[in-house]
């Protein structure tokens, strides 16, 4: 899990802020993963949002399929950003993280050649140290930017209720502030109860 979380808004164990817009309707409250101490988990909740992935048909165990490479057990990008999907037994795919789209840097700082991004294929299956490839997944994202304090620097010149992204798209302010998380972690717990961080990135 990311280890540098400060200045967050309290969520006190029950998420009081919306999470990433692309995961709306696909999560439920998360218990603390067993690889995280109680104090550290409390700090993560204080600085962000966490939830367990649950498909629309109620499934809570998934394969992770990804584009990128493994570095010390973590899925990371190569010369292109990482792309990570959760896949149910029935084959339903849920986009968990796209480093070219999700988070602060992707929205406001970085740009990529669209033709190259289209070459990415999430066709690798994540396997943990136990040789397991099916997991319960907890997604955590961090929110350390004070959006209200910096609202003027993000607001669109023509409409203060919109923000302009690096690619020129405009989003409602309230959507952007929840989409532009500055860190992400995905923890995968296998059938034996072992929890492993599969994704852990700073995004701002």
């Amino acid at each position: 899990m990311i280890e540098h979380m400060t200045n967050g808004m309290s969520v006190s164990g029950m998420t009081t802020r919306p999470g990433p817009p692309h995961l709306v309707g696909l999560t439920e409250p998360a218990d603390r993963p067993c690889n995280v101490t109680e104090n550290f988990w409390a700090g993560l909740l204080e600085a962000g949002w966490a939830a367990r992935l649950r498909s629309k048909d109620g499934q809570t165990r998934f394969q992770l399929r990804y584009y990128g490479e493994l570095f010390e057990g973590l899925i990371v990008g190569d010369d292109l950003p990482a792309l990570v999907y959760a896949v149910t037994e029935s084959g339903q795919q849920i986009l968990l993280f796209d480093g070219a789209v999700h988070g602060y840097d992707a929205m406001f700082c970085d740009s990529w050649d669209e033709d190259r991004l289209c070459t990415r294929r999430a066709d690798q299956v994540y396997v943990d140290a136990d040789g397991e490839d099916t997991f319960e997944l907890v997604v955590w994202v961090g929110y350390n930017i004070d959006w209200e304090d910096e609202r003027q620097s993000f607001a669109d010149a023509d409409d203060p209720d919109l923000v302009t992204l690096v690619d020129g798209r405009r989003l409602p302010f309230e959507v952007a502030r929840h989409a532009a998380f500055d860190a992400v972690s995905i923890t995968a717990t296998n059938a034996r109860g072992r929890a492993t961080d599969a994704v852990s990135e700073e995004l701002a």
Side-chain angles (χ1 to χ4, degrees):
M1 282 265 184
I2 300 287
E3 296 184 1
H4 306 288
M5 302 305 147
T6 58
N7 303 322
M9 182 187 303
S10 176
V11 294
S12 66
M14 292 298 291
T15 301
T16 58
R17 63 159 64 87
H22 71 287
L23 294 179
V24 169
L26 294 167
T27 62
E28 61 186 13
D31 293 328
R32 175 178 59 87
C34 66
N35 63 336
V36 181
T37 66
E38 289 187 11
N39 286 342
F40 190 47
W41 182 241
L44 290 172
L45 295 180
E46 187 74 16
W49 170 96
R52 184 171 77 152
L53 192 68
R54 182 184 179 92
S55 69
K56 290 184 177 179
D57 61 357
Q59 297 186 58
T60 57
R61 293 184 59 77
F62 306 87
Q63 278 192 339
L64 283 173
R65 297 184 189 169
Y66 67 95
Y67 167 86
E69 58 189 18
L70 291 182
F71 176 73
E72 296 182 351
L74 295 170
I75 299 168
V76 299
D78 45 29
D79 58 332
L80 292 172
L83 184 60
V84 183
Y85 286 87
V87 183
T88 67
E89 185 178 6
S90 63
Q92 177 188 353
Q93 296 190 62
I94 299 171
L95 177 60
L96 290 184
F97 177 65
D98 182 347
V101 174
H102 297 141
Y104 182 90
D105 280 348
M107 292 174 64
F108 295 104
C109 303
D110 301 334
S111 58
W112 303 90
D113 181 277
E114 288 297 325
D115 290 337
R116 294 192 66 214
L117 289 179
C118 289
T119 66
R120 296 178 301 163
R121 297 288 181 269
D123 54 10
Q124 300 179 80
V125 176
Y126 182 82
V127 178
D128 70 6
D130 290 330
E132 302 270 351
D133 67 358
T134 306
F135 311 97
E136 289 189 356
L137 300 173
V138 171
V139 180
W140 174 88
V141 297
Y143 292 106
N144 290 305
I145 296 169
D146 189 333
W147 281 78
E148 290 301 334
D149 187 56
E150 300 186 29
R151 185 173 188 134
Q152 291 304 313
S153 65
F154 291 107
D156 185 84
D158 298 322
D159 187 338
D161 291 327
L162 298 176
V163 297
T164 302
L165 308 187
V166 68
D167 62 4
R169 288 181 298 137
R170 300 198 298 173
L171 291 180
F173 179 84
E174 288 301 319
V175 173
R177 71 185 296 179
H178 299 298
F181 43 92
D182 51 66
V184 62
S185 178
I186 300 171
T187 302
T189 300
N190 67 24
R192 306 183 191 190
R194 184 198 294 266
T196 304
D197 290 340
V199 173
S200 183
E201 290 200 24
E202 299 277 1
L203 303 173

